[in-house]
Amino acid sequence: TSTSLIAGKHRLIVIAEDNCGNEDTTSCIIEVKDCKKPTPYCYNGIATVIMPSSGSVVVWAIDLNAGSYDNCTKKADLKYTFASATGAISDTFTCADVPNGVSATVEVDIYVTDAAGNSDFCRTYLLIQDGNGNKCEDRAGVAAAISGKVATESTEPVENVVLESKSSNAIPAFKTDSKGTYSFTNLPMQNNYSITPKRDDDPTNGVSTIDLVLIQKHILGVQSLTSAYKVVAADVDRSNDVSAVDLVELRKLILTVYDKLPNNTSWRFVPKSYNFPVPSGSNIQNPWGFPEKIDVTGLTKDELNRDFVGIKIGDVNGTVVPHSLLGAEAREAGASLRFRTEDRQLKAGEEAVVEFTAENFNNIEGYQFSIAMKGLELKSVNAGALKITEGNFGMTKLGAGYVTTSWNESKSISVNSKDVLFSIRVKATKALTLSESLIFNSKYTKAEAYNTTGSLGVALEVGKRSVAGYALHQNTPNPFKSTTMISYDLAKSDKVSLKITDVTGKLVREYSQNGQKGYNQMMINRTDVGGAGVLYYTIETKDYTATKKMILVD
């Protein structure tokens, strides 16, 4: 049995009885405490005005409460304070808090404390203004701005970067939009400022097995990374070195073993004005020890164009999508690496070895994809012509009926169509047919392969049955002058919308097509999409959407 207990100490009496009717009892003291912190909610800043009569304004911490609550304490009984759980319930602001005599932004922490003493805080800001009474002396030339842009090495703006400005005065953080710009204004002069950018989301953005290929070539000296920014991106474990450990860590991210890098952030940022040193006698730039902030000492004027270069960790081939106007890019090409295996029926509990070959495994440097295993348990992995181990497979999605895989080599490999690439031992949890149970797709790890000339899609044929998935391929040719072909794969026949947009997201042209299961094509004419420049094409079905970039030239 169970009962509800109020906060405090209680005696718990336990009576035990066996099957013969014998009983015994014992007791203990238990104490029920409220250990859960309140949930704080602040208004996203409020404005207030210096009173002409007093030259000051009193702000109460509770004035910034926007609906905080607690599991045990009533809202009316929650305590609100500035700076800490034991701080003041109000604060007074004067003209001294408005250096330019017009307005100033002050960052504040509002702590919410319940009856049990548990507390948590939310961060917001006050906009302190000198009102119509003009109580504060206006001081022209005592404030300035620090502004700039955050962009990738290829000059694409980086969105959702939080820039923090540290100084003797509290300054609210700035978050970049799709243009990548930031600006801190009304900063008191003569103060010292430190601008630090941060972004730590979507760690797999721009990351794929082709990055493993390029990093491995760099490590082995086969083909060096071409810039210091790329070397920083390759330092996945943030050890100030590019080694085999980085390959292991990045593969775990690709295979969904990691949902984020344990020793690194998704992005790092370098002041654009910083010049990386070049080691003597080497064309490989050594980036270690680079600054990750911009310091302004004794601000005396507007500091404009204080730009940063954003480095997406793990992305050394520049496929990251740094802002929302680009959408999500699929990276498969028009052709596909076609895997094959024999079809067979399995009884419940039966084990089988599934061998994979490929009819066109020519000059392949790597591949990755997700494997749907409906009604199958993966028991082991065995190498064939490829050096495959269990480390090339991710098992974190087994509960959802999937495994992920990634393989690469520093040198391209060609394998005869009759030679087994690798095999897996599986156990059927129910009676099934392999052609209905094995599917290669992009559910968790995107399905794509890489040869010496570019990227490919990935397809699987079980017996004589093609198991199709979804994929948007790169238009060919690209760049193009007159016409280009856009191709895509569908897992099932469906109506398809193809939209062409410009770099601002404006719709240029829209097409409709009744897509068939498997491979589809659509020819695009220059006359349909206008003048030269960068364009984006998006396909949409009821179950799938993907976007890629193409270039139209004169």
Side-chain angles (χ1 to χ4, degrees):
T1 61
S2 62
T3 185
S4 298
L5 301 177
I6 63 174
K9 293 184 178 181
H10 304 268
R11 180 177 294 277
L12 176 66
I13 300 174
V14 180
I15 302 174
E17 180 181 355
D18 63 19
N19 290 333
C20 297
N22 302 307
E23 292 184 353
D24 200 358
T25 182
T26 187
S27 65
C28 62
I29 301 298
I30 62 173
E31 185 174 3
V32 178
K33 291 183 178 181
D34 175 16
C35 298
K36 183 180 181 298
K37 296 179 180 179
T39 302
Y41 282 105
C42 291
Y43 287 115
N44 186 28
I46 63 171
T48 188
V49 177
I50 299 291
M51 296 293 103
S53 57
S54 62
S56 64
V57 60
V58 177
V59 179
W60 298 82
I62 195 172
D63 292 342
L64 290 108
N65 171 45
S68 305
Y69 64 89
D70 184 63
N71 61 321
C72 295
T73 305
K74 294 180 180 179
K75 289 185 177 182
D77 296 330
L78 292 172
K79 179 184 176 183
Y80 300 89
T81 55
F82 284 105
S84 69
T86 57
I89 61 175
S90 67
D91 201 353
T92 300
F93 298 89
T94 67
C95 290
D97 297 298
V98 189
N100 63 4
V102 180
S103 66
T105 302
V106 179
E107 193 174 76
V108 293
D109 292 336
I110 304 300
Y111 277 76
V112 185
T113 307
D114 63 17
N118 304 304
S119 66
D120 203 351
F121 74 95
C122 47
R123 180 164 293 168
T124 184
Y125 66 90
L126 296 169
L127 178 60
I128 311 297
Q129 299 173 316
D130 186 16
N132 295 332
N134 198 25
K135 184 69 176 180
C136 305
E137 179 184 355
D138 293 347
R139 301 178 183 177
V142 299
I146 301 175
S147 63
K149 184 176 183 179
V150 186
T152 64
E153 181 183 6
S154 60
T155 72
E156 288 278 9
V158 184
E159 191 174 6
N160 296 326
V161 180
V162 176
L163 293 105
E164 297 179 348
S165 177
K166 294 184 179 180
S167 179
S168 55
N169 295 328
I171 302 171
F174 194 102
K175 189 174 185 179
T176 61
D177 60 12
S178 59
K179 297 180 181 178
T181 57
Y182 76 92
S183 181
F184 293 98
T185 59
N186 291 322
L187 301 177
M189 287 191 180
Q190 306 307 323
N191 284 1
N192 301 328
Y193 298 91
S194 182
I195 311 297
T196 306
K198 297 178 181 179
R199 181 176 172 182
D200 191 19
D201 64 346
D202 198 6
T204 58
N205 185 1
V207 174
S208 67
T209 302
I210 189 61
D211 296 301
L212 292 175
V213 173
L214 297 175
I215 295 172
Q216 187 175 29
K217 288 182 177 181
H218 176 81
I219 293 172
L220 297 176
V222 175
Q223 179 182 323
S224 297
L225 296 172
T226 57
S227 74
Y229 300 116
K230 291 180 173 60
V231 176
V232 174
D235 181 23
V236 177
D237 67 345
R238 203 164 183 159
S239 62
N240 289 350
D241 183 34
V242 180
S243 67
V245 176
D246 297 301
L247 296 175
V248 173
E249 294 291 277
L250 192 59
R251 194 184 304 279
K252 288 180 179 180
L253 184 66
I254 293 168
L255 295 175
T256 71
V257 175
Y258 289 155
D259 56 9
K260 65 175 298 183
L261 295 172
N263 299 311
N264 212 339
T265 53
S266 293
W267 290 80
R268 296 180 74 176
F269 300 90
V270 183
K272 187 178 180 180
S273 59
Y274 178 73
N275 293 316
F276 289 96
V278 180
S280 177
S282 172
N283 62 356
I284 303 174
Q285 293 174 302
N286 180 357
W288 317 124
F290 59 87
E292 298 189 64
K293 61 180 180 177
I294 290 177
D295 292 322
V296 178
T297 303
L299 182 66
T300 58
K301 59 182 177 61
D302 287 342
E303 294 286 345
L304 310 179
N305 302 317
R306 289 295 201 142
D307 299 342
F308 288 92
V309 175
I311 303 170
K312 176 63 183 64
I313 300 302
D315 173 31
V316 297
N317 70 331
T319 55
V320 68
V321 181
H323 59 84
S324 56
L325 291 181
L326 294 183
E329 270 197 72
R331 292 187 292 268
E332 297 93 343
S336 290
L337 174 60
R338 296 183 294 279
F339 289 86
R340 285 181 172 176
T341 191
E342 294 299 318
D343 199 5
R344 61 189 296 183
Q345 292 182 336
L346 299 178
K347 298 177 182 179
E350 183 179 358
E351 292 192 7
V353 174
V354 182
E355 297 180 333
F356 293 96
T357 60
E359 66 177 57
N360 62 335
F361 206 94
N362 302 320
N363 298 317
I364 301 298
E365 296 182 320
Y367 63 71
Q368 63 175 48
F369 48 87
S370 303
I371 309 175
M373 305 181 67
K374 301 177 181 178
L376 293 170
E377 292 181 359
L378 180 63
K379 307 299 290 185
S380 63
V381 175
N382 301 290
L386 305 182
K387 297 177 182 178
I388 294 289
T389 69
E390 291 187 357
N392 294 101
F393 287 79
M395 309 298 181
T396 58
K397 303 302 179 183
L398 277 173
Y402 277 84
V403 296
T404 54
T405 185
S406 164
W407 166 88
N408 67 279
E409 283 288 348
S410 60
K411 296 182 179 180
S412 62
I413 291 178
S414 297
V415 178
N416 188 283
S417 62
K418 294 182 180 180
D419 292 340
V420 176
L421 298 170
F422 66 93
S423 62
I424 58 175
R425 178 175 288 276
V426 296
K427 180 180 180 180
T429 59
K430 62 180 180 179
L432 53 81
T433 302
L434 282 183
S435 59
E436 297 176 350
S437 301
L438 278 177
I439 299 174
F440 289 2
N441 61 23
S442 301
K443 177 71 172 179
Y444 296 103
T445 296
K446 289 184 177 181
E448 53 190 26
Y450 324 95
N451 58 21
T452 52
T453 60
S455 58
L456 306 164
V458 171
L460 171 64
E461 186 177 282
V462 182
K464 295 183 179 180
R465 180 177 177 181
S466 178
V467 184
Y470 289 104
L472 174 63
H473 305 307
Q474 184 65 56
N475 64 300
T476 54
N478 186 50
F480 71 100
K481 290 185 177 182
S482 56
T483 61
T484 189
M485 184 70 74
I486 293 176
S487 57
Y488 57 90
D489 293 326
L490 297 181
K492 61 184 178 181
S493 297
D494 204 349
K495 291 183 178 180
V496 176
S497 169
L498 173 65
K499 296 179 180 178
I500 311 293
T501 57
D502 63 17
V503 292
T504 68
K506 180 182 177 182
L507 181 65
V508 176
R509 187 67 184 264
E510 183 173 3
Y511 306 87
S512 296
Q513 189 176 50
N514 291 320
Q516 302 300 311
K517 180 180 178 180
Y519 189 69
N520 296 264
Q521 291 182 316
M522 186 179 297
M523 182 70 74
I524 304 299
N525 292 298
R526 179 193 186 95
T527 55
D528 293 341
V529 294
V534 175
L535 298 170
Y536 299 90
Y537 57 96
T538 302
I539 66 163
E540 295 179 355
T541 71
K542 184 172 62 176
D543 300 316
Y544 178 74
T545 182
T547 300
K548 283 192 71 67
K549 178 168 63 176
M550 62 182 179
I551 302 174
L552 175 60
V553 296
D554 291 326

